[in-house]
Amino acid sequence: MSDPNHTPSALITGITGQDGSYLTELLLDKGYTVHGIIRRSSLTERPRLDHLTLDPSIYGTRLFLHYADLDDATSIRRILFKIHPHEIYHLAGQSHVGASFEIPESTCEFTAMGTLRLLELLRDMDPAPKFLNIGSSEIFGHPDRDPQDESTPMNPVNPYGAAKAFAVQITRVYRESFGLFACNAICYNHESPRRSKSFVTRKITNAVARIAAGRQDTVALGSLDVARDWGFAGDYVRAMWLALQHDRPMDYVVATGRLTPLRDFLEIAFSHAGLDWEKHVTQDPRYMRPAEPTRLVGNARRAKDVLGWEPSVNLQRLVAMMVDADKSRSKRRDD
């Protein structure tokens, strides 16, 4: 834990994303001063953080944003040595699996090498901040067992998974070789109303809202035969924080332990709006991935036993939250 006599401080990369916004809220609620790194190319509009950055009692006093790119070690070094945070939560990187086949080099540059650059900078800091890297179930790809845990061999099947596998492994190397307090949170799919519409879950719930409002008729998806372990992002950032409060650095699988077919997700989402999904869902080859992971379901026993973490939002409640939020948005504007 940080010194109780001083205000704890944290640096978040990827602060404008889904997880970054929930984690920022959590840390502010716990009395932290929060710093976030944002890309120079980021839009000036940051809807997931607007409720915080537009509040003068928070922004500029307890929340600060800094411009830097993950391939710019000089700027990141300057930020790190200026604020010297107690904790670093590394969430940034190209996180869309499908897009990683189109932009594999930049995916690896930011997701893999960006992690290495941060770890190298931490070696020069005294004391070094506690560090959490966010891994992904995609590192397992085609696993040799299910459910997967922290000892499951990595076998990624896409560039994103390969980049994340490097990031997870290099974090372990720096922990074991240089004594850094460096952890991995190997997070399975986690969703929320703040999820980008480029991800299939939010694409579905947004389509449900628009179909219910008469603004569209169908939604085109890729394979309907996939299944995932879906949880709530708000629960998962709590596990991230807990990982850095433990007295020893470890890796943790963060998951619900429940494997849900996409068809079941569709059923829950459409039925919540009184619709039959089979009348509104089509398949489009453009959304088929060259390689699809199989049976990615996590065993979060270590997170439960060591950190006392368990998910609090089940899938039915999560999907209802997402559909209701998209229906509210649909009433306000045609998005």
Side-chain angles (χ1 to χ4, degrees):
M1 292 285 290
S2 298
D3 187 338
N5 297 316
H6 295 82
T7 301
S9 60
L11 176 69
I12 303 173
T13 70
I15 193 171
T16 60
Q18 169 190 253
D19 293 2
S21 65
Y22 281 113
L23 181 59
T24 299
E25 292 172 344
L26 175 72
L27 295 177
L28 289 173
D29 285 344
K30 292 185 177 297
Y32 280 67
T33 296
V34 178
H35 297 263
I37 289 180
I38 57 176
R39 291 178 294 114
R40 293 190 182 91
S41 58
S42 288
L43 298 175
T44 55
E45 295 181 358
R46 305 179 187 101
R48 298 183 184 98
L49 291 178
D50 279 351
H51 62 296
L52 300 174
T53 57
L54 297 178
D55 185 340
S57 69
I58 295 176
Y59 190 59
T61 59
R62 298 178 54 216
L63 173 62
F64 303 87
L65 299 180
H66 309 268
Y67 283 105
D69 292 326
L70 288 178
D71 60 352
D72 183 355
T74 301
S75 294
I76 294 176
R77 176 186 289 273
R78 186 176 298 116
I79 294 167
L80 281 173
F81 278 80
K82 178 181 179 181
I83 66 177
H84 213 123
H86 298 97
E87 300 169 1
I88 296 177
Y89 297 86
H90 178 39
L91 280 58
Q94 197 295 108
S95 60
H96 196 283
V97 174
S100 74
F101 284 103
E102 303 298 323
I103 50 171
E105 290 186 39
S106 60
T107 296
C108 291
E109 176 63 37
F110 290 105
T111 303
M113 293 304 297
T115 305
L116 175 58
R117 289 190 189 94
L118 279 172
L119 289 165
E120 271 292 281
L121 291 173
L122 296 194
R123 289 178 61 193
D124 293 335
M125 300 183 72
D126 185 19
K130 292 182 176 182
F131 177 80
L132 182 73
N133 172 62
I134 308 306
S136 167
S137 59
E138 295 286 340
I139 68 175
F140 299 125
H142 289 161
D144 64 359
R145 70 191 77 159
D146 58 272
Q148 299 87 48
D149 61 22
E150 297 80 8
S151 66
T152 301
M154 300 181 198
N155 188 27
V157 296
N158 54 61
Y160 172 73
K164 278 293 188 183
F166 175 90
V168 167
Q169 193 60 41
I170 202 66
T171 298
R172 291 175 178 173
V173 167
Y174 273 63
R175 176 175 69 222
E176 295 166 5
S177 299
F178 303 113
L180 294 179
F181 195 110
C183 306
N184 288 297
I186 303 169
C187 295
Y188 281 63
N189 293 63
H190 46 289
E191 319 299 324
S192 77
R194 301 178 189 178
R195 184 57 121 170
S196 165
K197 285 184 285 188
S198 63
F199 290 83
V200 68
T201 50
R202 179 74 198 292
K203 181 177 181 179
I204 290 169
T205 61
N206 183 63
V208 168
R210 291 177 59 81
I211 291 168
R215 294 184 175 182
Q216 71 183 63
D217 224 18
T218 61
V219 58
L221 304 176
S223 173
L224 302 183
D225 296 324
V226 300
R228 291 289 185 271
D229 183 334
W230 279 298
F232 172 51
D235 283 335
Y236 285 41
V237 301
R238 181 163 43 88
M240 297 174 194
W241 176 76
L242 287 168
L244 292 192
Q245 310 319 303
H246 191 55
D247 57 6
R248 187 160 64 93
M250 302 173 68
D251 297 337
Y252 303 92
V253 163
V254 184
T256 70
R258 176 182 175 183
L259 190 67
T260 302
L262 183 61
R263 286 182 171 85
D264 289 1
F265 190 101
L266 288 165
E267 173 64 30
I268 297 169
F270 277 84
S271 63
H272 186 68
L275 299 168
D276 180 354
W277 73 268
E278 294 186 285
K279 295 180 179 179
H280 300 282
V281 175
T282 63
Q283 288 187 271
D284 190 325
R286 291 178 300 169
Y287 302 123
M288 301 287 187
R289 294 177 185 169
E292 190 71 59
T294 57
R295 297 196 63 79
L296 292 180
V297 56
N299 177 2
R301 173 61 62 179
R302 179 184 288 179
K304 179 180 180 180
D305 291 348
V306 176
L307 304 178
W309 178 85
E310 287 188 281
S312 65
V313 176
N314 64 26
L315 185 65
Q316 287 74 16
R317 183 179 164 201
L318 169 61
V319 177
M321 287 166 51
M322 295 175 68
V323 171
D324 290 342
D326 278 321
K327 288 174 75 174
S328 295
R329 293 187 186 99
S330 186
K331 289 179 182 178
R332 292 196 301 267
R333 65 185 186 278
D334 184 5
D335 58 355

